[in-house]
Amino acid sequence: MLSSKMLQALNDQLQAEHSSAYLYLAMAARCADMNLPGFAHWFRVQVQEENQHALKFFDYILLRRGTVELKSIEKPKGEWPDALTLFEDAFHHEQYITKRIHDLVKLAREENDPATEALLQWFVTEQVEEEASVDGLVQQLKVMAGSPSGLFIMDRELAKRQLGGEA
């Protein structure tokens, strides 16, 4: 069974994953507002990924006979001036989630909970991929700064993203 500290931390992460999905949904809406349907699609796929992450925590808590506590989700920011700022915010958010996952790993070790630590290793690896993916898009946007044709091409590429893979 989960310790009370571990259960609380996992429920907090469940909320953080749902908050991530909600943030990315706001980003998808903003991209649609900026007439960037490929960017919007990329974020909609990201919403699905974050919801899958939340369900991993949800299912794990139940598997370990813990009580799931669904918490409120705050309204995300809804305005970004351009695609670069939006993706920079997404990258900073992924760094925040990575820190949270690392803190959970540390807690699992402190609580002598190897089962939870094993679950979290999947998230450690996933966060490396998440950060690299978003950072790569930030770097591409920086390189093509001020290039409408570059933005158009990138929008078309991002429209190809499928769940479980990158564009």
Side-chain angles (χ1 to χ4, degrees), residues 54 56 111 126:
K56 282 183 184 287
E111 295 293 304
E126 177 69 8

Side-chain angles (χ1 to χ4, degrees), residues 5 103-113 117:
K5 281 177 80 173
D103 289 346
L104 283 171
V105 170
K106 181 180 176 187
L107 179 61
R109 288 177 181 155
E110 291 169 0
E111 295 293 304
N112 193 26
D113 187 347
E117 187 176 350

Side-chain angles (χ1 to χ4, degrees), residues 9-123:
L10 291 172
N11 272 308
D12 289 346
Q13 189 61 33
L14 173 61
Q15 177 196 32
E17 298 294 340
H18 278 126
S19 293
S20 294
Y22 210 40
L23 171 65
Y24 291 141
L25 192 59
M27 290 178 165
R30 180 63 183 127
C31 289
D33 288 345
M34 291 188 290
N35 199 26
L36 295 170
F39 283 75
H41 171 78
W42 191 94
F43 277 109
R44 287 178 64 113
V45 172
Q46 195 65 24
V47 169
Q48 293 175 57
E49 278 196 8
E50 298 304 332
N51 283 327
Q52 287 178 347
H53 297 170
L55 287 174
K56 282 183 184 287
F57 283 105
F58 179 91
D59 291 340
Y60 182 76
I61 291 168
L62 294 175
L63 183 65
R64 296 289 304 276
R65 298 185 47 91
T67 300
V68 170
E69 181 184 347
L70 298 178
K71 300 176 181 189
S72 297
I73 299 172
E74 290 185 31
K75 178 183 175 182
K77 176 180 173 178
E79 287 296 321
W80 292 269
D82 54 45
L84 175 59
T85 305
L86 197 145
F87 271 93
E88 286 174 334
D89 279 2
F91 179 64
H92 294 303
H93 182 74
E94 289 299 335
Q95 289 177 315
Y96 163 74
I97 294 297
T98 297
K99 182 185 179 322
R100 291 185 59 92
I101 296 297
H102 292 174
D103 289 346
L104 283 171
V105 170
K106 181 180 176 187
L107 179 61
R109 288 177 181 155
E110 291 169 0
E111 295 293 304
N112 193 26
D113 187 347
T116 299
E117 187 176 350
L119 167 81
L120 293 170
Q121 287 307 312
W122 183 89
F123 285 96

Side-chain angles (χ1 to χ4, degrees), residues 113-141:
D113 187 347
T116 299
E117 187 176 350
L119 167 81
L120 293 170
Q121 287 307 312
W122 183 89
F123 285 96
V124 169
T125 301
E126 177 69 8
Q127 282 309 118
V128 170
E129 294 169 7
E130 295 281 352
E131 282 190 29
S133 171
V134 178
D135 185 45
L137 295 172
V138 167
Q139 299 313 314
Q140 287 178 24
L141 286 163

Side-chain angles (χ1 to χ4, degrees), residues 148-163:
S149 59
L151 193 62
F152 175 75
I153 292 168
M154 189 171 181
D155 188 63
R156 290 181 109 185
E157 286 301 309
L158 293 181
K160 297 176 187 176
R161 182 181 185 196
Q162 296 180 18
L163 188 59

